[in-house]
């Protein structure tokens, strides 16, 4: 398994019964079978009996095929889609607290604007910036900011949805 | 409708499911359930002496009868003791429903007395599990559990029952049918795939049929026999598949895999079309994956998509249940009057018969010391090949598989996937309870039998007369064999010093004990034991300590790299194979 090879990165979106323990079944499956999890997000949907879970994983074709089959085998999994196999939209939310003193204040604001961010909270020495986008874009922002200026980073993990008329529902 | 207690609801559910026999052990958290069981007579409850045995006995019952086995254990140590059995059932896909008591809902998470997270502990080794939090869901949960356990790829399902749920009251409604939006096993094979499979199968010049536990689990033996005879192709079984096709028929070429016959493994290695049916390409079967069936195009029929192309990439996958898919294949072949390539087949059979002539299961008989293979051969003769045989784990298990020729499904009951020593005795008890009129024998070893010995007591109480065939080699023989071959005879911790006098032990538990030391006494002892229809007899056969199981493919070897008895220099296993078990 190759974690770093991005071409093998897959985003799998799952509709599950909103039961206690459903999330641990997924998490267990990945640790028990030695699959990678890069990120995992979960929340109830508009239908309160269902949760939607998005996970990002990596592996060669054979491993991904097994992951999909093993997930489908879980009794609580109702439906799933490998979003990487279709044209899809990926979004992640990131909150970043940065230093903002002197010249940094203008520089930070400019960077935030370039990346389409919003400054949510301001103190005399810090900014708290909200950014959304595909994971790569958030990485780029962090790379653009000088290391010392970053005080804290929170990322939600990726979520996604297919483009066009295709919809994952029951 | 009068509200009744949760415990009563549970018992009513079991009645609705037609449960006639269950295995368990009481404790604080399940006292209400035991009280409700006391008030009824439809279900026979067998009180085992250890919860692991309850699960193995339920497995024996389920494996022999095809019905779902039922287990009841208390919270904490009750359920942790059951975990090995549950894992065993999971690995071999055996339908079970296990009820575990739990501390009252209000105390969950408080480290209450005898509290363990049963759902968490068992999650990796069940098909599914439930914690009942509301008595209103109890009956429906039981219905779901039986449905999930017994359909699709079967497996164990656990229901954790907090004590307050069993005490509270509700009206009893048992759903007639259940539909789960998230669980819909595919039974019928895809017609297009079946078509492609038939074309490939009919084009074969060197075909091979390889079948496993899935044929037994799905009761697909009739269809398998029909298809195999229609085609005239050679057939081999995994350890879990034995009995699906009659072993005494010429088309059966023996078990395959690590301890399979020479002809089965060679035919696998050289075949051009492999028809895999309800088998999961286990590493004890494939040997080194890169060397597995190098020339073959593979059809794989399995109800579980995750079994397909997991270890070996296949060419034509068919998801579906064995009887349905085979029936569909037979229809196509019959309707279109398709005929196999008889000329090629004749040639292929000639080759297979050459391999067969090597007689890879031959062994050197002795006048002085009892050969374990000989005991199994005699067991086969004395029971006329008709007994239900359960087995423990080790060399004796392999000899039972090799030398008892199983002609019908569900006749051979053993722990294949988990390889659980201690399985055999409680499983024999369960099988005997399912079929009281049939002869049941447990083939075991001096190591394995001591892991579940206490069940001799249960067997006395519930009158389950089975014959225990102990192949006593004074060693953890299977491990000793590996140490002989791969660890230069450094026999680390495999010699069983201070074995008990098994005859006296059997007698202490109220059974008959016999010790047999000479080859000439083997048959007579077996006849005597089986004549005692109503007694459990412990036959302690003192066997050759140095005997090894052949043929053997050392881990990491290819299917064509077998070691044969006393013919090959013992070579050290492949380096990379040393990590395998
Ligand atoms: C000491 C020891 C030595 C062993 N040596 C050998 C050996 O030499 N040779 C050997 O073969 N094994 C050996 N084993 C056993 C081995 O570990 C595996 O348990 C066994 O090979 C698996 O058998 P199987 O492929 O039939 O799968 P099973 O575990 O029986 O699985 C059944 C398969 O059938 C499928 N299935 C279930 N229901 C259906 C249905 N309705 N329709 C279609 N498919 C279905 C399941 O999805 C699964 O894929 C040994 C075990 C031990 C303990
Ligand atoms: C519970 C358990 N512990 C350890 C093992 C590893 N193991 C496999 S076979 C074997 C030896 C079995 O000895 P015995 O029952 O005497 O059978 P023999 O091989 O001598 O016929 C052992 C220790 C196992 N399979 N199960
Ligand atoms: Mg032994």
């Amino acid at each position: 398994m190759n974690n770093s090879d991005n071409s093998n990165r897959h985003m799998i979106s799952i509709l599950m019964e909103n039961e206690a323990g459903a999330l641990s079944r997924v998490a267990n499956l990945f640790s028990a079978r030695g699959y990678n999890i890069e990120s995992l997000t979960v929340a109830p949907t508009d239908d309160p009996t269902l949760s939607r879970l998005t996970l990002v994983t990596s592996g060669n074709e054979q491993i991904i095929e097994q992951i999909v089959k093993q997930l489908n085998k879980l009794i609580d999994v109702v439906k799933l889609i490998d979003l990487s196999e279709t044209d899809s939209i990926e979004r992640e939310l990131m909150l970043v607290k940065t230093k903002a003193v002197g010249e940094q204040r203008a520089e930070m604001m400019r960077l935030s604007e370039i990346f389409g961010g919003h400054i949510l909270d301001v103190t005399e020495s810090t900014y708290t910036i909200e950014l959304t986008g595909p994971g790569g874009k958030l990485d780029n922002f962090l790379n653009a900011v000088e290391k010392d200026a970053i005080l804290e980073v929170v990322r939600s993990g990726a979520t996604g949805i297919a483009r066009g008329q295709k919809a994952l529902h029951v | 409708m009068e509200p009744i207690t949760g415990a009563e609801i549970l018992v009513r559910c079991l009645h609705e499911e037609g449960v006639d026999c269950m295995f368990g052990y009481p404790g604080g958290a399940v006292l209400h359930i035991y009280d409700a069981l006391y008030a009824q007579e439809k279900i026979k409850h067998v009180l085992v002496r250890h919860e692991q045995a309850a699960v193995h006995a339920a497995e024996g019952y389920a494996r022999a009868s095809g019905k779902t086995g039922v287990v009841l254990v208390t919270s904490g140590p009750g359920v942790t003791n059951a975990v090995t059995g549950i894992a065993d059932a999971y690995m071999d896909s055996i339908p079970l429903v296990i009820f575990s008591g739990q501390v009252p809902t209000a105390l969950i998470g408080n480290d209450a007395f005898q509290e363990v997270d049963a759902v968490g502990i068992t999650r990796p080794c069940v098909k599914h599990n439930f914690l009942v939090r509301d008595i209103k869901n109890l009956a429906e949960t039981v219905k779901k559990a039986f449905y999930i356990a017994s359909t699709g790829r079967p497996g164990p399902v656990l229901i954790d029952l907090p004590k307050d749920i069993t005490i509270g009251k509700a009206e009893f409604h048992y759903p007639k049918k259940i539909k789960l939006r998230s669980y819909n096993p595919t039974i019928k094979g895809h017609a297009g795939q079946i078509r492609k499979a038939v074309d490939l199968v009919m084009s074969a010049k060197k075909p091979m049929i390889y079948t496993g536990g899935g044929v037994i689990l799905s009761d697909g033996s009739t269809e398998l026999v029909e298809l195999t005879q229609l085609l005239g192709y050679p057939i081999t079984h995994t350890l879990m598949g034995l009995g699906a096709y009659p072993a005494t028929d010429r088309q059966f070429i023996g078990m395959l895999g690590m301890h399979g016959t020479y002809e089965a493994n060679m035919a696998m290695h050289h075949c051009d079309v492999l028809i895999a049916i309800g088998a999961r390409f286990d590493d004890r079967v494939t040997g080194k994956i890169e060397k597995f069936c190098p020339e073959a195009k593979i059809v794989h029929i399995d109800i579980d998509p995750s079994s397909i192309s997991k270890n070996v990439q296949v060419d034509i996958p068919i998801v579906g249940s064995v009887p349905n898919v085979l029936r569909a294949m037979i229809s196509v072949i019959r309707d279109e009057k398709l005929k196999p390539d008889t000329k090629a087949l004749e040639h292929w059979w000639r080759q297979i018969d050459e391999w067969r002539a090597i007689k890879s299961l031959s062994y050197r008989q002795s006048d002085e010391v009892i050969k374990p293979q000989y005991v199994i051969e005699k067991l086969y003769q004395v029971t006329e090949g008709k007994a239900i045989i359960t087995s423990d784990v080790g060399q004796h298990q392999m000899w039972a598989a090799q030398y008892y020729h199983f002609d019908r499904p569900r006749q051979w009951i053993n722990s294949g996937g988990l390889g659980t020593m201690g399985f055999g005795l409680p499983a024999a008890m369960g099988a005997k309870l399912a079929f009281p009129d049939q002869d049941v024998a447990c083939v075991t070893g001096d190591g394995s039998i001591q892991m579940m010995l206490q069940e001799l007591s249960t067997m006395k109480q519930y009158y389950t007369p089975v014959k225990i065939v102990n192949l006593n080699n004074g060693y953890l023989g299977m491990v000793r064999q590996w140490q002989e071959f791969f660890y230069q005879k450094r026999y680390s911790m495999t010699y069983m010093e201070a074995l008990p006098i098994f005859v006296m032990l059997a007698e202490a538990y109220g059974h008959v004990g016999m010790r047999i030391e000479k080859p000439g006494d083997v048959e007579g002892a077996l006849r005597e034991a089986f004549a005692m229809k109503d007694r459990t007899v412990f036959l302690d056969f003192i066997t050759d300590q140095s005997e090894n199981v052949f043929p053997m493919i050392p881990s990491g070897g290819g299917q064509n790299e077998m070691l044969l008895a006393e013919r090959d220099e013992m070579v050290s296993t492949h380096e990379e194979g040393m990590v395998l078990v």
Side-chain angles (χ1 to χ4, degrees), chain B residues 91-93 152-154 210-215 217-218 237-241 255-260 277-282 284-285 300-304 307 320-323 393-394 397-398 414-420 478:
Chain B
M91 290 294 276
D92 288 345
S93 306
R153 178 176 185 171
Y210 143 61
T211 82
V215 180
L217 293 165
S218 66
H237 292 326
T238 67
L239 182 71
M240 301 312 293
M255 182 171 83
L256 83 166
M258 182 179 278
H259 295 297
I277 307 173
R280 58 184 172 83
F281 295 80
D282 185 81
R284 291 235 153 166
V285 163
H300 187 189
I301 301 163
D302 204 291
I303 202 161
D304 178 358
S307 278
S321 190
V322 168
V393 172
Q397 176 187 22
M398 294 299 106
N414 84 135
S415 163
L418 197 66
T420 312
M478 184 55 98

Side-chain angles (χ1 to χ4, degrees), chain A residues 81-153:
Chain A
I81 181 175
D82 184 347
L83 286 171
S84 324
E85 307 260 278
T86 63
D87 198 4
S88 62
I89 301 166
E90 177 186 335
R91 284 293 176 272
E92 186 175 354
L93 169 69
M94 178 166 74
L95 301 175
V96 190
K97 190 166 291 186
T98 65
K99 282 190 200 156
V101 204
E103 280 170 23
Q104 268 177 332
R105 289 182 86 81
E107 170 65 10
M108 213 51 89
M109 196 175 299
R110 206 173 58 82
L111 261 182
S112 165
E113 254 161 42
I114 293 173
F115 281 88
H118 302 278
I119 298 178
L120 302 182
D121 186 45
V122 180
T123 70
E124 54 207 43
S125 60
T126 64
Y127 282 156
T128 300
I129 305 168
E130 170 195 328
L131 288 142
T132 59
K137 176 181 149 187
L138 306 185
D139 294 342
N140 290 342
F141 176 82
L142 294 177
N143 290 335
V145 178
E146 67 181 285
K147 276 268 157 324
D148 292 352
I150 299 174
L151 297 171
E152 187 179 349
V153 178

Side-chain angles (χ1 to χ4, degrees), chain B residues 100-136:
Chain B
S100 53
Q102 182 54 281
V103 301
T105 320
L107 293 186
I108 289 179
N110 282 10
D111 301 324
F113 176 64
Q114 295 197 326
E115 178 184 359
V116 297
D117 174 10
V119 164
I121 282 184
T122 59
R123 191 178 292 125
C125 60
V126 291
K127 183 169 174 187
H128 198 57
N129 57 18
F130 299 94
L131 169 64
V132 180
R133 291 171 177 278
D134 184 342
I135 188 169
K136 288 199 212 77

Side-chain angles (χ1 to χ4, degrees), chain A residues 64-76:
Chain A
I64 298 297
E65 187 184 323
Q66 264 300 310
I67 288 177
V68 167
K69 286 172 169 179
Q70 292 291 348
L71 284 168
N72 266 316
K73 198 168 146 177
L74 294 176
I75 306 287
D76 286 335

Side-chain angles (χ1 to χ4, degrees), chain B residues 211-285:
Chain B
T211 82
V215 180
I216 311 279
L217 293 165
S218 66
D219 293 317
S221 191
T222 314
E223 288 78 5
L224 178 69
V225 171
E226 186 176 339
L227 178 68
T228 306
Q229 295 186 344
L230 185 63
L231 294 169
Y233 291 177
I235 180 167
T236 180
H237 292 326
T238 67
L239 182 71
M240 301 312 293
L242 296 174
Y245 188 90
T248 47
D249 187 85
R250 182 179 171 271
Q251 274 172 257
F252 183 67
I253 63 171
M255 182 171 83
L256 83 166
M258 182 179 278
H259 295 297
T261 63
Y262 186 71
E263 53 272 32
N265 285 325
M266 289 301 275
M268 288 291 287
H269 190 77
H270 292 278
C271 73
D272 66 346
V273 173
L274 180 66
I275 309 150
I277 307 173
R280 58 184 172 83
F281 295 80
D282 185 81
D283 48 80
R284 291 235 153 166
V285 163

